[in-house]
Amino acid sequence: MAGRERNVAIVGCGLIGRAWAAIFARAGWTVRLNDPHVSTLKAAPRLIRDELHALARHGLAEDPDGAVARVSVAGNLEEAVRDAEFVQENGPERAEDKRVIFAQLDKMAPKDALLVSSTSAITASRFTETLTGRARCLVGHPVNPPHLVPLVELCGAPWTSPEAIERARNIYREIGQVPVTINREINGFVLNRLQGALLAEAFRLVGEGYISAEDLDHTVKDGLGLRWSFLGPFETIELNAPGGIPDYCARYTGFYRELASAAAGPEVYQSPNVDQVIAAWPHQPTEERIAGLTLRRNERLAALAAHKSRQADRK
């Protein structure tokens, strides 16, 4: 494939779509943007340029101006997907909207183009069943922000071809992401289910007065989060017992069974528990605070991504 132009269509140019555009452009792909909202589409090239230059400051993009030059705005959806090898859809998080968008993509995109949705919760079977080209459709769920957190969850419908999954997996690897394959459909995929389990317990612990909301956050970001940024849960338990995972299970299964028997359930998201958590959080969601948190998050994630990239280069 060396020397061949690689074309991707980014359909939907909000926060996630712009991040995908930066990722593909940084990797040398030609990127065409499309969005039905004129103001969103008009603002996208400048915001993508700014993001690429921010990545370059952290050593995460080698030639930001060259990458920017590979990004263009398409006049319409048909123009965006023409000659595309890959289509990354980032439309509204509603199944009915995705059915409409994917019907259009299936008719307009080249027959061998992969059609991939960034949806974070809607399984592909809910919006691709009636399509002629449904075998090439799948979910490629990123983690926000995708240009700094590389994981992508790949999840096909029952009719998605194994070849489509494998092609998508290879392409995401080529552009610097870390794809994982969900073997069969499940609501929320895997990352959100793991996050949901932790969040439910967090709501319960704060709501029932075991810990303050801010100290709960410190427990994750200055404890579990630091460890989990380099080690997954299975790697972690392998290192926490002399005999690895079998030894850990033998030692601690009883303890975790006891915890599981009193695990937080869906009621933790109901009042008065939610009200107690909201009351315990000492900050107001002002625009200034959210903007500051976003900037701080992105700076820290960029520094961590750069550090991990340097480590990988030394191996």
Side-chain angles (χ1 to χ4, degrees), residues 152-178:
V152 189
E153 294 183 293
L154 306 185
C155 187
W159 43 81
T160 303
S161 72
E163 292 78 17
I165 297 287
E166 188 60 24
R167 278 183 61 203
R169 191 176 176 101
N170 289 336
I171 286 171
Y172 281 127
R173 279 202 196 104
E174 289 168 11
I175 64 172
Q177 302 302 96
V178 179

mmCIF file with all atom_site columns, all heavy atoms in Angstrom, residues 152-178:
data_model
loop_
_atom_site.group_PDB
_atom_site.id
_atom_site.type_symbol
_atom_site.label_atom_id
_atom_site.label_alt_id
_atom_site.label_comp_id
_atom_site.label_asym_id
_atom_site.label_entity_id
_atom_site.label_seq_id
_atom_site.pdbx_PDB_ins_code
_atom_site.Cartn_x
_atom_site.Cartn_y
_atom_site.Cartn_z
_atom_site.occupancy
_atom_site.B_iso_or_equiv
_atom_site.pdbx_formal_charge
_atom_site.auth_seq_id
_atom_site.auth_comp_id
_atom_site.auth_asym_id
_atom_site.auth_atom_id
_atom_site.pdbx_PDB_model_num
ATOM 1   N N   . VAL A 1 152 ? -10.060 1.829   20.630 1.00 0.00 ? 152 VAL A N   1
ATOM 2   C CA  . VAL A 1 152 ? -11.255 1.791   19.785 1.00 0.00 ? 152 VAL A CA  1
ATOM 3   C C   . VAL A 1 152 ? -11.892 0.416   19.944 1.00 0.00 ? 152 VAL A C   1
ATOM 4   O O   . VAL A 1 152 ? -11.237 -0.605  19.725 1.00 0.00 ? 152 VAL A O   1
ATOM 5   C CB  . VAL A 1 152 ? -10.925 2.010   18.292 1.00 0.00 ? 152 VAL A CB  1
ATOM 6   C CG1 . VAL A 1 152 ? -12.227 2.172   17.492 1.00 0.00 ? 152 VAL A CG1 1
ATOM 7   C CG2 . VAL A 1 152 ? -10.034 3.213   18.090 1.00 0.00 ? 152 VAL A CG2 1
ATOM 8   N N   . GLU A 1 153 ? -13.168 0.383   20.325 1.00 0.00 ? 153 GLU A N   1
ATOM 9   C CA  . GLU A 1 153 ? -13.892 -0.872  20.460 1.00 0.00 ? 153 GLU A CA  1
ATOM 10  C C   . GLU A 1 153 ? -14.570 -1.211  19.127 1.00 0.00 ? 153 GLU A C   1
ATOM 11  O O   . GLU A 1 153 ? -15.393 -0.436  18.635 1.00 0.00 ? 153 GLU A O   1
ATOM 12  C CB  . GLU A 1 153 ? -14.951 -0.774  21.545 1.00 0.00 ? 153 GLU A CB  1
ATOM 13  C CG  . GLU A 1 153 ? -14.387 -0.594  22.945 1.00 0.00 ? 153 GLU A CG  1
ATOM 14  C CD  . GLU A 1 153 ? -15.486 -0.577  23.989 1.00 0.00 ? 153 GLU A CD  1
ATOM 15  O OE1 . GLU A 1 153 ? -16.288 0.382   23.993 1.00 0.00 ? 153 GLU A OE1 1
ATOM 16  O OE2 . GLU A 1 153 ? -15.560 -1.516  24.791 1.00 0.00 ? 153 GLU A OE2 1
ATOM 17  N N   . LEU A 1 154 ? -14.208 -2.366  18.553 1.00 0.00 ? 154 LEU A N   1
ATOM 18  C CA  . LEU A 1 154 ? -14.816 -2.806  17.307 1.00 0.00 ? 154 LEU A CA  1
ATOM 19  C C   . LEU A 1 154 ? -15.900 -3.827  17.626 1.00 0.00 ? 154 LEU A C   1
ATOM 20  O O   . LEU A 1 154 ? -15.640 -4.827  18.300 1.00 0.00 ? 154 LEU A O   1
ATOM 21  C CB  . LEU A 1 154 ? -13.774 -3.454  16.394 1.00 0.00 ? 154 LEU A CB  1
ATOM 22  C CG  . LEU A 1 154 ? -12.527 -2.635  16.081 1.00 0.00 ? 154 LEU A CG  1
ATOM 23  C CD1 . LEU A 1 154 ? -11.658 -3.361  15.071 1.00 0.00 ? 154 LEU A CD1 1
ATOM 24  C CD2 . LEU A 1 154 ? -12.890 -1.251  15.585 1.00 0.00 ? 154 LEU A CD2 1
ATOM 25  N N   . CYS A 1 155 ? -17.104 -3.558  17.143 1.00 0.00 ? 155 CYS A N   1
ATOM 26  C CA  . CYS A 1 155 ? -18.214 -4.469  17.414 1.00 0.00 ? 155 CYS A CA  1
ATOM 27  C C   . CYS A 1 155 ? -19.108 -4.540  16.188 1.00 0.00 ? 155 CYS A C   1
ATOM 28  O O   . CYS A 1 155 ? -19.715 -3.532  15.792 1.00 0.00 ? 155 CYS A O   1
ATOM 29  C CB  . CYS A 1 155 ? -19.014 -3.994  18.628 1.00 0.00 ? 155 CYS A CB  1
ATOM 30  S SG  . CYS A 1 155 ? -20.276 -5.166  19.169 1.00 0.00 ? 155 CYS A SG  1
ATOM 31  N N   . GLY A 1 156 ? -19.163 -5.705  15.572 1.00 0.00 ? 156 GLY A N   1
ATOM 32  C CA  . GLY A 1 156 ? -20.013 -5.885  14.411 1.00 0.00 ? 156 GLY A CA  1
ATOM 33  C C   . GLY A 1 156 ? -21.385 -6.392  14.787 1.00 0.00 ? 156 GLY A C   1
ATOM 34  O O   . GLY A 1 156 ? -21.627 -6.834  15.910 1.00 0.00 ? 156 GLY A O   1
ATOM 35  N N   . ALA A 1 157 ? -22.298 -6.317  13.832 1.00 0.00 ? 157 ALA A N   1
ATOM 36  C CA  . ALA A 1 157 ? -23.595 -6.971  13.964 1.00 0.00 ? 157 ALA A CA  1
ATOM 37  C C   . ALA A 1 157 ? -23.420 -8.459  13.641 1.00 0.00 ? 157 ALA A C   1
ATOM 38  O O   . ALA A 1 157 ? -22.353 -8.864  13.181 1.00 0.00 ? 157 ALA A O   1
ATOM 39  C CB  . ALA A 1 157 ? -24.592 -6.322  13.007 1.00 0.00 ? 157 ALA A CB  1
ATOM 40  N N   . PRO A 1 158 ? -24.438 -9.280  13.873 1.00 0.00 ? 158 PRO A N   1
ATOM 41  C CA  . PRO A 1 158 ? -24.302 -10.711 13.536 1.00 0.00 ? 158 PRO A CA  1
ATOM 42  C C   . PRO A 1 158 ? -23.941 -10.937 12.068 1.00 0.00 ? 158 PRO A C   1
ATOM 43  O O   . PRO A 1 158 ? -23.349 -11.965 11.727 1.00 0.00 ? 158 PRO A O   1
ATOM 44  C CB  . PRO A 1 158 ? -25.690 -11.277 13.858 1.00 0.00 ? 158 PRO A CB  1
ATOM 45  C CG  . PRO A 1 158 ? -26.221 -10.381 14.928 1.00 0.00 ? 158 PRO A CG  1
ATOM 46  C CD  . PRO A 1 158 ? -25.714 -9.015  14.585 1.00 0.00 ? 158 PRO A CD  1
ATOM 47  N N   . TRP A 1 159 ? -24.293 -9.998  11.186 1.00 0.00 ? 159 TRP A N   1
ATOM 48  C CA  . TRP A 1 159 ? -24.025 -10.153 9.749  1.00 0.00 ? 159 TRP A CA  1
ATOM 49  C C   . TRP A 1 159 ? -22.753 -9.428  9.296  1.00 0.00 ? 159 TRP A C   1
ATOM 50  O O   . TRP A 1 159 ? -22.415 -9.493  8.114  1.00 0.00 ? 159 TRP A O   1
ATOM 51  C CB  . TRP A 1 159 ? -25.225 -9.645  8.944  1.00 0.00 ? 159 TRP A CB  1
ATOM 52  C CG  . TRP A 1 159 ? -25.774 -8.362  9.491  1.00 0.00 ? 159 TRP A CG  1
ATOM 53  C CD1 . TRP A 1 159 ? -25.308 -7.099  9.297  1.00 0.00 ? 159 TRP A CD1 1
ATOM 54  C CD2 . TRP A 1 159 ? -26.913 -8.244  10.346 1.00 0.00 ? 159 TRP A CD2 1
ATOM 55  N NE1 . TRP A 1 159 ? -26.066 -6.185  9.969  1.00 0.00 ? 159 TRP A NE1 1
ATOM 56  C CE2 . TRP A 1 159 ? -27.075 -6.858  10.620 1.00 0.00 ? 159 TRP A CE2 1
ATOM 57  C CE3 . TRP A 1 159 ? -27.808 -9.159  10.893 1.00 0.00 ? 159 TRP A CE3 1
ATOM 58  C CZ2 . TRP A 1 159 ? -28.099 -6.374  11.430 1.00 0.00 ? 159 TRP A CZ2 1
ATOM 59  C CZ3 . TRP A 1 159 ? -28.818 -8.669  11.693 1.00 0.00 ? 159 TRP A CZ3 1
ATOM 60  C CH2 . TRP A 1 159 ? -28.964 -7.306  11.966 1.00 0.00 ? 159 TRP A CH2 1
ATOM 61  N N   . THR A 1 160 ? -22.071 -8.749  10.176 1.00 0.00 ? 160 THR A N   1
ATOM 62  C CA  . THR A 1 160 ? -20.808 -8.112  9.773  1.00 0.00 ? 160 THR A CA  1
ATOM 63  C C   . THR A 1 160 ? -19.779 -9.194  9.458  1.00 0.00 ? 160 THR A C   1
ATOM 64  O O   . THR A 1 160 ? -19.601 -10.135 10.230 1.00 0.00 ? 160 THR A O   1
ATOM 65  C CB  . THR A 1 160 ? -20.281 -7.208  10.898 1.00 0.00 ? 160 THR A CB  1
ATOM 66  O OG1 . THR A 1 160 ? -21.272 -6.235  11.229 1.00 0.00 ? 160 THR A OG1 1
ATOM 67  C CG2 . THR A 1 160 ? -19.004 -6.499  10.465 1.00 0.00 ? 160 THR A CG2 1
ATOM 68  N N   . SER A 1 161 ? -19.099 -9.052  8.336  1.00 0.00 ? 161 SER A N   1
ATOM 69  C CA  . SER A 1 161 ? -18.153 -10.095 7.931  1.00 0.00 ? 161 SER A CA  1
ATOM 70  C C   . SER A 1 161 ? -16.892 -10.029 8.788  1.00 0.00 ? 161 SER A C   1
ATOM 71  O O   . SER A 1 161 ? -16.449 -8.941  9.176  1.00 0.00 ? 161 SER A O   1
ATOM 72  C CB  . SER A 1 161 ? -17.773 -9.931  6.466  1.00 0.00 ? 161 SER A CB  1
ATOM 73  O OG  . SER A 1 161 ? -16.930 -8.818  6.281  1.00 0.00 ? 161 SER A OG  1
ATOM 74  N N   . PRO A 1 162 ? -16.289 -11.174 9.093  1.00 0.00 ? 162 PRO A N   1
ATOM 75  C CA  . PRO A 1 162 ? -15.009 -11.188 9.821  1.00 0.00 ? 162 PRO A CA  1
ATOM 76  C C   . PRO A 1 162 ? -13.935 -10.393 9.082  1.00 0.00 ? 162 PRO A C   1
ATOM 77  O O   . PRO A 1 162 ? -13.071 -9.771  9.716  1.00 0.00 ? 162 PRO A O   1
ATOM 78  C CB  . PRO A 1 162 ? -14.651 -12.674 9.886  1.00 0.00 ? 162 PRO A CB  1
ATOM 79  C CG  . PRO A 1 162 ? -15.953 -13.396 9.755  1.00 0.00 ? 162 PRO A CG  1
ATOM 80  C CD  . PRO A 1 162 ? -16.787 -12.544 8.834  1.00 0.00 ? 162 PRO A CD  1
ATOM 81  N N   . GLU A 1 163 ? -14.006 -10.388 7.750  1.00 0.00 ? 163 GLU A N   1
ATOM 82  C CA  . GLU A 1 163 ? -13.023 -9.636  6.964  1.00 0.00 ? 163 GLU A CA  1
ATOM 83  C C   . GLU A 1 163 ? -13.149 -8.138  7.219  1.00 0.00 ? 163 GLU A C   1
ATOM 84  O O   . GLU A 1 163 ? -12.141 -7.423  7.265  1.00 0.00 ? 163 GLU A O   1
ATOM 85  C CB  . GLU A 1 163 ? -13.209 -9.928  5.474  1.00 0.00 ? 163 GLU A CB  1
ATOM 86  C CG  . GLU A 1 163 ? -12.859 -11.351 5.046  1.00 0.00 ? 163 GLU A CG  1
ATOM 87  C CD  . GLU A 1 163 ? -13.943 -12.357 5.405  1.00 0.00 ? 163 GLU A CD  1
ATOM 88  O OE1 . GLU A 1 163 ? -15.092 -11.941 5.697  1.00 0.00 ? 163 GLU A OE1 1
ATOM 89  O OE2 . GLU A 1 163 ? -13.635 -13.575 5.413  1.00 0.00 ? 163 GLU A OE2 1
ATOM 90  N N   . ALA A 1 164 ? -14.384 -7.638  7.378  1.00 0.00 ? 164 ALA A N   1
ATOM 91  C CA  . ALA A 1 164 ? -14.581 -6.218  7.660  1.00 0.00 ? 164 ALA A CA  1
ATOM 92  C C   . ALA A 1 164 ? -13.996 -5.852  9.019  1.00 0.00 ? 164 ALA A C   1
ATOM 93  O O   . ALA A 1 164 ? -13.344 -4.810  9.167  1.00 0.00 ? 164 ALA A O   1
ATOM 94  C CB  . ALA A 1 164 ? -16.067 -5.870  7.603  1.00 0.00 ? 164 ALA A CB  1
ATOM 95  N N   . ILE A 1 165 ? -14.222 -6.692  10.011 1.00 0.00 ? 165 ILE A N   1
ATOM 96  C CA  . ILE A 1 165 ? -13.659 -6.453  11.338 1.00 0.00 ? 165 ILE A CA  1
ATOM 97  C C   . ILE A 1 165 ? -12.130 -6.431  11.264 1.00 0.00 ? 165 ILE A C   1
ATOM 98  O O   . ILE A 1 165 ? -11.471 -5.544  11.832 1.00 0.00 ? 165 ILE A O   1
ATOM 99  C CB  . ILE A 1 165 ? -14.119 -7.533  12.338 1.00 0.00 ? 165 ILE A CB  1
ATOM 100 C CG1 . ILE A 1 165 ? -15.636 -7.486  12.528 1.00 0.00 ? 165 ILE A CG1 1
ATOM 101 C CG2 . ILE A 1 165 ? -13.398 -7.375  13.671 1.00 0.00 ? 165 ILE A CG2 1
ATOM 102 C CD1 . ILE A 1 165 ? -16.148 -6.337  13.323 1.00 0.00 ? 165 ILE A CD1 1
ATOM 103 N N   . GLU A 1 166 ? -11.557 -7.383  10.551 1.00 0.00 ? 166 GLU A N   1
ATOM 104 C CA  . GLU A 1 166 ? -10.096 -7.471  10.474 1.00 0.00 ? 166 GLU A CA  1
ATOM 105 C C   . GLU A 1 166 ? -9.512  -6.286  9.712  1.00 0.00 ? 166 GLU A C   1
ATOM 106 O O   . GLU A 1 166 ? -8.481  -5.741  10.103 1.00 0.00 ? 166 GLU A O   1
ATOM 107 C CB  . GLU A 1 166 ? -9.686  -8.788  9.802  1.00 0.00 ? 166 GLU A CB  1
ATOM 108 C CG  . GLU A 1 166 ? -8.188  -9.065  9.853  1.00 0.00 ? 166 GLU A CG  1
ATOM 109 C CD  . GLU A 1 166 ? -7.648  -9.154  11.273 1.00 0.00 ? 166 GLU A CD  1
ATOM 110 O OE1 . GLU A 1 166 ? -8.419  -9.454  12.202 1.00 0.00 ? 166 GLU A OE1 1
ATOM 111 O OE2 . GLU A 1 166 ? -6.436  -8.905  11.454 1.00 0.00 ? 166 GLU A OE2 1
ATOM 112 N N   . ARG A 1 167 ? -10.172 -5.864  8.629  1.00 0.00 ? 167 ARG A N   1
ATOM 113 C CA  . ARG A 1 167 ? -9.704  -4.684  7.899  1.00 0.00 ? 167 ARG A CA  1
ATOM 114 C C   . ARG A 1 167 ? -9.741  -3.443  8.779  1.00 0.00 ? 167 ARG A C   1
ATOM 115 O O   . ARG A 1 167 ? -8.796  -2.648  8.797  1.00 0.00 ? 167 ARG A O   1
ATOM 116 C CB  . ARG A 1 167 ? -10.572 -4.450  6.662  1.00 0.00 ? 167 ARG A CB  1
ATOM 117 C CG  . ARG A 1 167 ? -10.218 -5.283  5.440  1.00 0.00 ? 167 ARG A CG  1
ATOM 118 C CD  . ARG A 1 167 ? -11.121 -4.900  4.273  1.00 0.00 ? 167 ARG A CD  1
ATOM 119 N NE  . ARG A 1 167 ? -10.941 -3.487  3.907  1.00 0.00 ? 167 ARG A NE  1
ATOM 120 C CZ  . ARG A 1 167 ? -11.861 -2.768  3.256  1.00 0.00 ? 167 ARG A CZ  1
ATOM 121 N NH1 . ARG A 1 167 ? -13.040 -3.304  2.939  1.00 0.00 ? 167 ARG A NH1 1
ATOM 122 N NH2 . ARG A 1 167 ? -11.624 -1.515  2.936  1.00 0.00 ? 167 ARG A NH2 1
ATOM 123 N N   . ALA A 1 168 ? -10.846 -3.276  9.495  1.00 0.00 ? 168 ALA A N   1
ATOM 124 C CA  . ALA A 1 168 ? -10.958 -2.119  10.384 1.00 0.00 ? 168 ALA A CA  1
ATOM 125 C C   . ALA A 1 168 ? -9.882  -2.159  11.453 1.00 0.00 ? 168 ALA A C   1
ATOM 126 O O   . ALA A 1 168 ? -9.248  -1.141  11.771 1.00 0.00 ? 168 ALA A O   1
ATOM 127 C CB  . ALA A 1 168 ? -12.348 -2.070  11.018 1.00 0.00 ? 168 ALA A CB  1
ATOM 128 N N   . ARG A 1 169 ? -9.670  -3.325  12.009 1.00 0.00 ? 169 ARG A N   1
ATOM 129 C CA  . ARG A 1 169 ? -8.654  -3.479  13.053 1.00 0.00 ? 169 ARG A CA  1
ATOM 130 C C   . ARG A 1 169 ? -7.273  -3.090  12.518 1.00 0.00 ? 169 ARG A C   1
ATOM 131 O O   . ARG A 1 169 ? -6.515  -2.366  13.180 1.00 0.00 ? 169 ARG A O   1
ATOM 132 C CB  . ARG A 1 169 ? -8.655  -4.929  13.542 1.00 0.00 ? 169 ARG A CB  1
ATOM 133 C CG  . ARG A 1 169 ? -7.848  -5.180  14.802 1.00 0.00 ? 169 ARG A CG  1
ATOM 134 C CD  . ARG A 1 169 ? -8.003  -6.632  15.264 1.00 0.00 ? 169 ARG A CD  1
ATOM 135 N NE  . ARG A 1 169 ? -7.162  -6.891  16.423 1.00 0.00 ? 169 ARG A NE  1
ATOM 136 C CZ  . ARG A 1 169 ? -7.586  -6.928  17.670 1.00 0.00 ? 169 ARG A CZ  1
ATOM 137 N NH1 . ARG A 1 169 ? -8.865  -6.729  17.933 1.00 0.00 ? 169 ARG A NH1 1
ATOM 138 N NH2 . ARG A 1 169 ? -6.760  -7.164  18.673 1.00 0.00 ? 169 ARG A NH2 1
ATOM 139 N N   . ASN A 1 170 ? -6.949  -3.532  11.309 1.00 0.00 ? 170 ASN A N   1
ATOM 140 C CA  . ASN A 1 170 ? -5.646  -3.197  10.725 1.00 0.00 ? 170 ASN A CA  1
ATOM 141 C C   . ASN A 1 170 ? -5.517  -1.710  10.441 1.00 0.00 ? 170 ASN A C   1
ATOM 142 O O   . ASN A 1 170 ? -4.458  -1.109  10.673 1.00 0.00 ? 170 ASN A O   1
ATOM 143 C CB  . ASN A 1 170 ? -5.437  -4.001  9.438  1.00 0.00 ? 170 ASN A CB  1
ATOM 144 C CG  . ASN A 1 170 ? -5.198  -5.475  9.711  1.00 0.00 ? 170 ASN A CG  1
ATOM 145 O OD1 . ASN A 1 170 ? -4.758  -5.846  10.793 1.00 0.00 ? 170 ASN A OD1 1
ATOM 146 N ND2 . ASN A 1 170 ? -5.498  -6.316  8.737  1.00 0.00 ? 170 ASN A ND2 1
ATOM 147 N N   . ILE A 1 171 ? -6.587  -1.096  9.942  1.00 0.00 ? 171 ILE A N   1
ATOM 148 C CA  . ILE A 1 171 ? -6.538  0.336   9.642  1.00 0.00 ? 171 ILE A CA  1
ATOM 149 C C   . ILE A 1 171 ? -6.363  1.151   10.916 1.00 0.00 ? 171 ILE A C   1
ATOM 150 O O   . ILE A 1 171 ? -5.549  2.080   10.974 1.00 0.00 ? 171 ILE A O   1
ATOM 151 C CB  . ILE A 1 171 ? -7.797  0.767   8.865  1.00 0.00 ? 171 ILE A CB  1
ATOM 152 C CG1 . ILE A 1 171 ? -7.709  0.254   7.426  1.00 0.00 ? 171 ILE A CG1 1
ATOM 153 C CG2 . ILE A 1 171 ? -7.974  2.286   8.886  1.00 0.00 ? 171 ILE A CG2 1
ATOM 154 C CD1 . ILE A 1 171 ? -8.985  0.421   6.615  1.00 0.00 ? 171 ILE A CD1 1
ATOM 155 N N   . TYR A 1 172 ? -7.111  0.816   11.947 1.00 0.00 ? 172 TYR A N   1
ATOM 156 C CA  . TYR A 1 172 ? -6.956  1.565   13.200 1.00 0.00 ? 172 TYR A CA  1
ATOM 157 C C   . TYR A 1 172 ? -5.544  1.414   13.755 1.00 0.00 ? 172 TYR A C   1
ATOM 158 O O   . TYR A 1 172 ? -4.976  2.375   14.288 1.00 0.00 ? 172 TYR A O   1
ATOM 159 C CB  . TYR A 1 172 ? -7.987  1.096   14.227 1.00 0.00 ? 172 TYR A CB  1
ATOM 160 C CG  . TYR A 1 172 ? -9.374  1.662   14.011 1.00 0.00 ? 172 TYR A CG  1
ATOM 161 C CD1 . TYR A 1 172 ? -10.486 0.817   13.918 1.00 0.00 ? 172 TYR A CD1 1
ATOM 162 C CD2 . TYR A 1 172 ? -9.590  3.035   13.914 1.00 0.00 ? 172 TYR A CD2 1
ATOM 163 C CE1 . TYR A 1 172 ? -11.765 1.328   13.733 1.00 0.00 ? 172 TYR A CE1 1
ATOM 164 C CE2 . TYR A 1 172 ? -10.860 3.549   13.722 1.00 0.00 ? 172 TYR A CE2 1
ATOM 165 C CZ  . TYR A 1 172 ? -11.947 2.696   13.631 1.00 0.00 ? 172 TYR A CZ  1
ATOM 166 O OH  . TYR A 1 172 ? -13.203 3.208   13.449 1.00 0.00 ? 172 TYR A OH  1
ATOM 167 N N   . ARG A 1 173 ? -4.977  0.228   13.646 1.00 0.00 ? 173 ARG A N   1
ATOM 168 C CA  . ARG A 1 173 ? -3.594  0.047   14.093 1.00 0.00 ? 173 ARG A CA  1
ATOM 169 C C   . ARG A 1 173 ? -2.650  0.936   13.282 1.00 0.00 ? 173 ARG A C   1
ATOM 170 O O   . ARG A 1 173 ? -1.747  1.571   13.820 1.00 0.00 ? 173 ARG A O   1
ATOM 171 C CB  . ARG A 1 173 ? -3.172  -1.418  13.922 1.00 0.00 ? 173 ARG A CB  1
ATOM 172 C CG  . ARG A 1 173 ? -3.620  -2.356  15.021 1.00 0.00 ? 173 ARG A CG  1
ATOM 173 C CD  . ARG A 1 173 ? -2.729  -3.590  15.031 1.00 0.00 ? 173 ARG A CD  1
ATOM 174 N NE  . ARG A 1 173 ? -3.312  -4.685  15.792 1.00 0.00 ? 173 ARG A NE  1
ATOM 175 C CZ  . ARG A 1 173 ? -3.878  -5.754  15.257 1.00 0.00 ? 173 ARG A CZ  1
ATOM 176 N NH1 . ARG A 1 173 ? -3.955  -5.878  13.942 1.00 0.00 ? 173 ARG A NH1 1
ATOM 177 N NH2 . ARG A 1 173 ? -4.364  -6.705  16.012 1.00 0.00 ? 173 ARG A NH2 1
ATOM 178 N N   . GLU A 1 174 ? -2.859  0.975   11.964 1.00 0.00 ? 174 GLU A N   1
ATOM 179 C CA  . GLU A 1 174 ? -1.993  1.753   11.081 1.00 0.00 ? 174 GLU A CA  1
ATOM 180 C C   . GLU A 1 174 ? -2.009  3.240   11.407 1.00 0.00 ? 174 GLU A C   1
ATOM 181 O O   . GLU A 1 174 ? -1.000  3.924   11.229 1.00 0.00 ? 174 GLU A O   1
ATOM 182 C CB  . GLU A 1 174 ? -2.420  1.544   9.627  1.00 0.00 ? 174 GLU A CB  1
ATOM 183 C CG  . GLU A 1 174 ? -2.120  0.168   9.067  1.00 0.00 ? 174 GLU A CG  1
ATOM 184 C CD  . GLU A 1 174 ? -2.815  -0.063  7.737  1.00 0.00 ? 174 GLU A CD  1
ATOM 185 O OE1 . GLU A 1 174 ? -3.339  0.915   7.165  1.00 0.00 ? 174 GLU A OE1 1
ATOM 186 O OE2 . GLU A 1 174 ? -2.832  -1.215  7.272  1.00 0.00 ? 174 GLU A OE2 1
ATOM 187 N N   . ILE A 1 175 ? -3.139  3.746   11.887 1.00 0.00 ? 175 ILE A N   1
ATOM 188 C CA  . ILE A 1 175 ? -3.221  5.185   12.181 1.00 0.00 ? 175 ILE A CA  1
ATOM 189 C C   . ILE A 1 175 ? -2.885  5.497   13.644 1.00 0.00 ? 175 ILE A C   1
ATOM 190 O O   . ILE A 1 175 ? -3.072  6.622   14.105 1.00 0.00 ? 175 ILE A O   1
ATOM 191 C CB  . ILE A 1 175 ? -4.606  5.761   11.814 1.00 0.00 ? 175 ILE A CB  1
ATOM 192 C CG1 . ILE A 1 175 ? -5.716  5.141   12.654 1.00 0.00 ? 175 ILE A CG1 1
ATOM 193 C CG2 . ILE A 1 175 ? -4.878  5.580   10.323 1.00 0.00 ? 175 ILE A CG2 1
ATOM 194 C CD1 . ILE A 1 175 ? -7.079  5.808   12.459 1.00 0.00 ? 175 ILE A CD1 1
ATOM 195 N N   . GLY A 1 176 ? -2.405  4.490   14.378 1.00 0.00 ? 176 GLY A N   1
ATOM 196 C CA  . GLY A 1 176 ? -1.902  4.733   15.723 1.00 0.00 ? 176 GLY A CA  1
ATOM 197 C C   . GLY A 1 176 ? -2.881  4.489   16.841 1.00 0.00 ? 176 GLY A C   1
ATOM 198 O O   . GLY A 1 176 ? -2.581  4.778   18.008 1.00 0.00 ? 176 GLY A O   1
ATOM 199 N N   . GLN A 1 177 ? -4.058  3.921   16.548 1.00 0.00 ? 177 GLN A N   1
ATOM 200 C CA  . GLN A 1 177 ? -5.021  3.610   17.594 1.00 0.00 ? 177 GLN A CA  1
ATOM 201 C C   . GLN A 1 177 ? -4.787  2.197   18.123 1.00 0.00 ? 177 GLN A C   1
ATOM 202 O O   . GLN A 1 177 ? -3.978  1.438   17.590 1.00 0.00 ? 177 GLN A O   1
ATOM 203 C CB  . GLN A 1 177 ? -6.450  3.765   17.071 1.00 0.00 ? 177 GLN A CB  1
ATOM 204 C CG  . GLN A 1 177 ? -6.775  5.159   16.544 1.00 0.00 ? 177 GLN A CG  1
ATOM 205 C CD  . GLN A 1 177 ? -6.583  6.265   17.562 1.00 0.00 ? 177 GLN A CD  1
ATOM 206 O OE1 . GLN A 1 177 ? -5.527  6.907   17.579 1.00 0.00 ? 177 GLN A OE1 1
ATOM 207 N NE2 . GLN A 1 177 ? -7.562  6.498   18.402 1.00 0.00 ? 177 GLN A NE2 1
ATOM 208 N N   . VAL A 1 178 ? -5.510  1.837   19.177 1.00 0.00 ? 178 VAL A N   1
ATOM 209 C CA  . VAL A 1 178 ? -5.405  0.495   19.763 1.00 0.00 ? 178 VAL A CA  1
ATOM 210 C C   . VAL A 1 178 ? -6.784  -0.155  19.686 1.00 0.00 ? 178 VAL A C   1
ATOM 211 O O   . VAL A 1 178 ? -7.636  0.067   20.554 1.00 0.00 ? 178 VAL A O   1
ATOM 212 C CB  . VAL A 1 178 ? -4.912  0.560   21.226 1.00 0.00 ? 178 VAL A CB  1
ATOM 213 C CG1 . VAL A 1 178 ? -4.846  -0.848  21.825 1.00 0.00 ? 178 VAL A CG1 1
ATOM 214 C CG2 . VAL A 1 178 ? -3.554  1.241   21.307 1.00 0.00 ? 178 VAL A CG2 1
#
